[in-house]
Amino acid sequence: MSPAAGPGVPTERSAPTGRALPTYVWEPTTDFLAARYGLPRESIIRFDVNTSPLPPDLRDVLAGSFDPSLCEYPPSDYAALVAAAAESYGVGADEILPTAGADEALDLTARAFLREGSVAVAAVPTYAMYRIVSEQRGASFVAVPRTSREAGFGLDIPAMARAARGAQLVWLCEPNNPTGMVEPPERIAELLGLLASQATQDGREAPAVAIDEAYAEFVGRSVLPLRARYSRLVVIRTLSKAHALAGARVGFAVARPETLGPILSYRAPASVSTVSAALATAALRRPELAAANVARIAGQRARLTAELSAIGWRPYPSQVNFILFRFSSPQVAAATAEALLRQGLVPRTFSPNHPLADCLRLTVRSAQENDRLIEAAKGIPA
Ligand SMILES: Cc1ncc(COP(=O)(O)O)c(C=O)c1O
């Protein structure tokens, strides 16, 4: 892949070479890390993957008998899951497409809107999958740097609009991973307005805009109402983060029916398992479970931020379940990561050529797990 772009880096355009297919490099597994650092598996804590520390209590769902249905395929319309999601997100049932996690929704969105020679645009630094699924379709990926760190990693709206002129798909991550920053909804509306008026001026169809709201529940608002004004808006949601069901692999593409249609046509008939659909349906029907998780994480986030700031780690503001910390140099960030890893605490690191190479991203976990992080951090020279 070409070098990552970021704040202060000019807009970069990459085109796939046609040789190697861009591939997501997964985080090392817990078993791998335990073997590498000579630690018991149970002592490893994942501060790198932005999951929630405790699953919701859905024992009654798991204890319910799946026997009659496990030998059959799930219903292809996933009616119960779709109804629960439609109610939870405040949209129509015909606007919901269940997928195997948000990642499948991203892939299907790329399949629906991108072809060989298409152009996809994203504000970077951001979640790596947008580039990967775009380039896998043979599209060029235009990486538009976000504003500087000092300006809060915001969207550079004029630059985004310029880059998106004639593009087929625009990717946004709201709140953004890995910076944790949240764009005010009126700024997203402003960008969509610009894209629509540019398209009208040019006599072309406006680009599809996919907004990945994997972390939306932590902020308590959504861009979904904007689909009334911008019909080519696709909002991507997941049960993996605030709902604490990453292992179930359930997400959604949410869009007006005419925009959802092409995405739906690429989905395998039953990519969400019967068990996962039942768990997700129950989780969506019991919003108090996610709300309690979000509140617990907010408390722990404040504590982690305060305790780690006190020893000289520099946090960027966060409203989500992870915090980006800045260090004095990429070398100090790397040494801190290694010192944490030796104690079984796994941070998210960034490669030396990444604009956030001097940062570590840490997931907010349970009180006891965070205690271990704070204790370990106190013993590492800042
Ligand atoms: C922004 C963003 N989108 C999507 C995903 C993947 O979500 P899922 O587990 O639903 O596939 C992640 C996971 O870290 C993410 O950070």
Side-chain angles (χ1 to χ4, degrees):
M1 280 206 276
S2 49
V9 178
T11 298
E12 168 223 0
R13 174 181 291 250
S14 77
T17 58
R19 279 196 218 131
L21 205 55
T23 309
Y24 189 82
V25 180
W26 278 89
E27 313 302 333
T29 65
T30 299
D31 286 327
F32 174 90
L33 290 168
R36 171 156 179 201
Y37 288 94
L39 295 167
R41 189 187 191 284
E42 325 70 72
S43 72
I44 308 283
I45 306 178
R46 306 299 309 224
F47 286 93
D48 58 336
V49 282
N50 296 348
T51 46
S52 283
L54 288 172
D57 185 355
L58 296 172
R59 279 171 292 185
D60 57 321
V61 180
L62 286 169
S65 172
F66 288 105
D67 290 354
S69 50
L70 279 183
C71 54
E72 302 298 342
Y73 289 110
S76 59
D77 61 0
Y78 290 101
L81 176 59
V82 164
E87 191 183 332
S88 171
Y89 301 146
V91 303
D94 57 352
E95 297 183 292
I96 296 271
L97 173 65
T99 55
D103 280 343
E104 188 187 31
L106 299 176
D107 181 49
L108 299 178
T109 302
R111 285 174 194 272
F113 299 111
L114 300 175
R115 308 268 166 282
E116 195 76 36
S118 298
V119 175
V121 177
V124 297
T126 194
Y127 187 48
M129 286 302 281
Y130 313 137
R131 176 193 288 268
I132 291 167
V133 294
S134 300
E135 292 186 345
Q136 285 179 345
R137 303 270 62 81
S140 301
F141 183 82
V142 181
V144 179
R146 291 173 170 269
T147 59
S148 67
R149 296 164 179 237
E150 297 67 33
F153 295 113
L155 288 182
D156 181 342
I157 290 183
M160 285 295 288
R162 269 195 308 279
R165 199 155 205 157
Q168 283 68 41
L169 181 58
V170 175
W171 298 106
L172 292 178
C173 189
E174 280 302 323
N176 188 42
N177 174 14
T179 58
M181 78 79 61
V182 184
E183 199 71 37
E186 46 299 351
R187 303 245 313 150
I188 307 273
E190 182 190 339
L191 175 62
L192 296 180
L194 278 175
L195 297 180
S197 55
Q198 273 183 182
T200 309
Q201 272 167 30
D202 297 349
R204 307 183 210 242
E205 191 171 39
V209 177
I211 305 191
D212 180 348
E213 289 195 327
Y215 301 93
E217 292 87 350
F218 293 106
V219 185
R221 65 166 188 252
S222 169
V223 296
L224 272 164
L226 294 175
R227 77 199 189 290
R229 284 199 257 162
Y230 196 87
S231 66
R232 288 171 59 75
L233 179 63
V234 181
V235 177
I236 289 157
R237 303 292 295 254
T238 181
L239 273 284
S240 294
K241 306 299 181 182
H243 287 280
L245 282 175
R249 312 302 304 126
V250 182
F252 301 95
V254 188
R256 281 164 61 161
E258 67 272 26
T259 303
L260 203 57
I263 305 175
L264 170 64
S265 56
Y266 284 94
R267 198 199 65 188
S271 65
V272 179
S273 79
T274 300
V275 179
S276 295
L279 287 168
T281 305
L284 289 165
R285 292 243 179 259
R286 301 174 200 178
E288 66 283 2
L289 296 176
N293 187 38
V294 166
R296 215 169 22 235
I297 286 172
Q300 286 300 315
R301 184 177 62 227
R303 181 172 155 251
L304 260 189
T305 305
E307 297 263 9
L308 295 176
S309 302
I311 58 163
W313 292 23
R314 285 178 290 162
Y316 287 98
S318 167
Q319 295 180 48
V320 289
N321 68 337
F322 58 85
I323 309 165
L324 187 69
F325 287 94
R326 183 178 188 182
F327 295 84
S328 52
S329 68
Q331 292 72 25
V332 172
T336 305
E338 190 56 28
L340 291 172
L341 278 163
R342 281 201 294 269
Q343 300 177 64
L345 311 174
V346 190
R348 169 71 157 86
T349 56
F350 300 93
S351 60
N353 64 356
H354 192 282
L356 301 177
D358 58 349
C359 296
L360 297 178
R361 193 195 68 198
L362 290 159
T363 306
V364 179
R365 298 202 54 103
S366 69
Q368 292 90 327
E369 291 172 328
N370 296 336
D371 285 345
R372 265 189 65 195
L373 175 63
I374 293 163
E375 273 319 298
K378 284 180 178 163
I380 302 172

